[in-house]
Amino acid sequence: MNYTVPRFKADAFHCPFCATFSHMHWNRVFTTEPLLFAAAQCSKCHSRSIWSAEQGKTYSPYIPLEELVNGVMIYPDSSIAPEADVDMPADVKRDYEEAARIFSRSPRGAAALLRLGLQKLCKHLGEPGKNIDTDIRSLAAKNTLPPMIIKVADTLRITGNNAVHPGEMSDEDFDQVAEKMFDLLNFIVKKGISEPKELQALYEKTPERLRKAAEDKDAKNKAV
């Protein structure tokens, strides 16, 4: 499933309450606090997420929604990323879920955590886990992952490195890339762990006589 992360003043995204991709109705929220807030109401479940925002150079509690910028969702305080694949290894899942919890507040921190999770995931797939660039290329060469994964992972790996060097990328860039990294980890788990496991289960359902014949044929082909 393609997941659309909630974004400030976006017309539609996956609701943090009902998880449905829905149109959002945005409104200003006026309070006595010297802070600026907005609310996004889901057209499906009608729940409202609350966002803290900024207003350029000057402050006025009555500034219209159109002039608010840099909004961050403060309620609900929950993950706004797609759920981790059920076959994701436990240590990778811990990094993934921590990244999901902090994503709305720190895309930079989330990108760094997801890069760490990607390193661990490569190790689970039989690679050294020391260099993502080398590991991803090796997995593609072995057909564990499709070759196109190299282009995707290259971009996200670079961003992961930059995540620990402030100032090299804008917050908007981190926001966009961290979002894609959630999808990347889930995709790699699906291709590298889930699908092979499903194929193995299907193979084991085949009668033993047919399995033995297939194994003997493979052995002969390798010997040639």
Side-chain angles (χ1 to χ4, degrees), residues 3-218:
Y3 182 83
T4 302
V5 173
R7 293 189 190 286
F8 187 53
K9 293 197 288 186
D11 289 334
F13 49 72
H14 277 83
C15 174
F17 295 96
C18 69
T20 303
F21 181 76
S22 307
H23 176 70
M24 296 292 159
H25 301 281
W26 287 89
N27 300 100
R28 265 301 313 272
V29 177
F30 296 98
T31 71
T32 57
E33 302 274 341
L35 299 170
L36 302 171
F37 298 99
Q41 184 175 30
C42 172
S43 61
K44 178 69 174 180
C45 70
H46 306 296
S47 298
R48 294 184 179 181
S49 56
I50 305 300
W51 300 65
S52 176
E54 302 173 4
Q55 185 272 332
K57 298 180 180 179
T58 60
Y59 168 79
S60 168
Y62 304 107
I63 184 173
L65 176 67
E66 291 74 17
E67 295 184 31
L68 294 184
V69 296
N70 300 330
V72 174
M73 189 172 71
I74 59 174
Y75 175 80
D77 184 15
S78 61
S79 169
I80 56 172
E83 290 188 13
D85 190 283
V86 294
D87 290 319
M88 186 174 289
D91 57 339
V92 179
K93 188 174 181 180
R94 282 193 294 272
D95 295 331
Y96 183 99
E97 292 181 339
E98 183 177 351
R101 287 193 296 272
I102 70 169
F103 173 62
S104 64
R105 299 175 183 80
S106 177
R108 181 179 287 105
L113 280 166
L114 290 167
R115 182 181 181 279
L116 177 61
L118 181 54
Q119 278 186 290
K120 294 177 181 178
L121 183 53
C122 288
K123 196 168 183 178
H124 278 284
L125 294 175
E127 301 301 325
K130 295 180 179 180
N131 186 300
I132 292 175
D133 182 56
T134 302
D135 289 350
I136 290 293
R137 280 167 168 72
S138 175
L139 290 168
K142 296 173 183 176
N143 290 321
T144 301
L145 299 175
M148 185 65 185
I149 199 75
I150 294 174
K151 292 183 180 180
V152 178
D154 272 352
T155 304
L156 302 185
R157 176 184 59 83
I158 292 169
T159 302
N161 285 333
N162 286 346
V164 295
H165 300 294
E168 293 186 18
M169 293 190 73
S170 69
D171 286 341
E172 183 178 354
D173 288 334
F174 279 114
D175 190 25
Q176 294 282 345
V177 171
E179 175 188 343
K180 301 299 184 296
M181 289 183 76
F182 288 113
D183 292 332
L184 176 66
L185 263 70
N186 274 330
F187 178 84
I188 292 176
V189 170
K190 177 183 176 183
K191 290 294 182 181
I193 299 177
S194 300
E195 289 186 0
K197 185 172 74 172
E198 291 169 5
L199 288 172
Q200 181 62 31
L202 181 61
Y203 175 73
E204 290 173 357
K205 290 180 180 179
T206 306
E208 185 176 356
R209 175 178 55 83
L210 298 178
R211 293 204 308 268
K212 182 67 167 58
E215 290 168 1
D216 289 344
K217 182 179 180 180
D218 286 342

